[in-house]
Amino acid sequence: MSEKNNTASLGWGTRIAYGLGDTACNVVFGMITALLTLFYTDYCGIPVVTVGLVMLISRIFDGSSDVIMGIIVSKTKSKWGKARPWILWMSVPYVLCAVAMFCVPHSSTTVQFWYIFVTYNLCTTVCYTAINVPYGTLSTMMTRSSHERDLLSVVRMALSPIGKIIAVTFTMPVVKLFGNDQAAWVKVMSIWAAIAFLLLITCFVKCEETVHITARSEEKIPVGRSLKALVTNQYFWAVLLLWMFQSTNQAVVGTILPYYCKYVFHNDSWMYSTLYLSETIVLIVFTFLCPLLRDMLGKRNMIVAGAVLVLISQGLFFLNTTSFSWCLFTTMLRGVGEAPLCAFVFGMIGDVVEFGQWKHHIRQESFIFAGGSVGTKLATASHRPALQAL
């Protein structure tokens, strides 16, 4: 491919289709991170310690699966490319496993433990990883333009929360409408799964791989050399830490907030939906505004300023923890602070790929995205002790 084709404008149709891939993932993953624990404990009667143990142990397998999937993607050869076909191949298994997580049998604690362990890992460790690692890698195979990768990142992170809005904001009201029991959860998850499937297929159809570099990326490079190139890429570690902090913040808030609304505000329906929807709308709006300030302030400075604002908003919340209106204000303020990192994190990972190729003459799209994904999953595991404290 010529350099001109590799850096040409992708068009808004392609950018939106790419972003819808993350919308699809978050329709399901939003349920997992925000409401699955509540479903297990309050609707299936599973002890919270058991749920926390399952998810904590699962992180061990989940992290290793990202590395394995990164290697698999790098060796994949098909008429659709390396990363793109996995979105098609894994879409059906992903949504079926998502529904299966909510079909917990009414049996002994031991049987329930093994059921949620198997179904949770099939969905997150196997299927989600087999979609998410190739999906993240795909952006670097669609263009070599840093500007276009930034736009893909912005659109991705602006559309990504819509999946969580669908899952998180509307789940509890619809569950109550369908009977407020386990069967209602299965019906709601089936609806969300169907939506996720359609969005994944849209992403697959519209997003093509155009970057084909026939250099050392096609050679058989020893694993040891690849690992050395990865760990000596200083910008990989910088972006990895940013991504980990973001994931930890979202995991802690997402897991605790439903319980907080239920037991402090005594309303786990519209109050929780209002808080989540308000923060998400603010996040989407300011994510789209970030590119307008990028050239003037720089991505790094905007991310640092946003992180400081997130800390300030959380500190302000502790001044009045029982006021819903105050909680709503600080939640929306936190959304403003989260926007710069959400807008640029995946574009920065694409820059890490290009820097690694310049420095080591090895192009490691899937390996770098897999390494970053491992970090985020380890970060999300850190919030389980807080959950058990509830």
Side-chain angles (χ1 to χ4, degrees), residues 25-36:
C25 289
N26 277 292
V27 169
V28 176
F29 205 67
M31 291 282 286
I32 295 173
T33 56
L35 294 173
L36 185 62

Side-chain angles (χ1 to χ4, degrees), residues 141-199:
M141 295 180 171
M142 292 169 64
T143 178
R144 294 198 69 188
S145 165
S146 179
H147 174 72
E148 283 296 326
R149 286 196 303 268
D150 283 344
L151 288 178
L152 284 176
S153 178
V154 168
V155 174
R156 172 183 179 175
M157 297 311 293
L159 297 182
S160 171
I162 294 177
K164 291 185 178 180
I165 289 176
I166 294 172
V168 179
T169 304
F170 297 108
T171 290
M172 292 307 300
V174 178
V175 164
K176 294 181 185 299
L177 181 65
F178 284 173
N180 200 30
D181 55 10
Q182 183 178 352
W185 282 85
V186 175
K187 294 174 184 176
V188 172
M189 188 66 249
S190 299
I191 296 172
W192 300 161
I195 294 173
F197 173 75
L198 293 175
L199 295 179

Side-chain angles (χ1 to χ4, degrees), residues 115-136:
Y115 183 87
I116 65 175
F117 180 81
V118 171
T119 54
Y120 180 83
N121 277 282
L122 278 175
C123 186
T124 61
T125 304
V126 179
C127 295
Y128 179 77
T129 299
I131 287 179
N132 200 51
V133 171
Y135 172 74

Side-chain angles (χ1 to χ4, degrees), residues 202-256:
T202 300
C203 178
F204 166 77
V205 171
K206 294 289 291 182
C207 300
E208 298 182 3
E209 297 183 15
T210 62
V211 177
H212 306 287
I213 301 176
T214 56
R216 297 190 183 187
S217 61
E218 297 295 326
E219 297 178 4
K220 292 184 178 180
I221 301 171
V223 175
R225 184 180 172 191
S226 295
L227 285 173
K228 182 179 179 181
L230 183 66
V231 299
T232 55
N233 187 330
Q234 63 268 35
Y235 296 114
F236 167 75
W237 294 106
V239 177
L240 175 63
L241 289 174
L242 286 173
W243 202 359
M244 287 180 65
F245 291 144
Q246 178 196 40
S247 299
T248 301
N249 173 63
Q250 292 176 342
V252 171
V253 173
T255 301
I256 293 178

Side-chain angles (χ1 to χ4, degrees), residues 35-55:
L35 294 173
L36 185 62
T37 300
L38 180 68
F39 166 76
Y40 283 152
T41 58
D42 288 26
Y43 287 82
C44 297
I46 302 173
V48 66
V49 175
T50 301
V51 177
L53 182 62
V54 167
M55 295 185 179

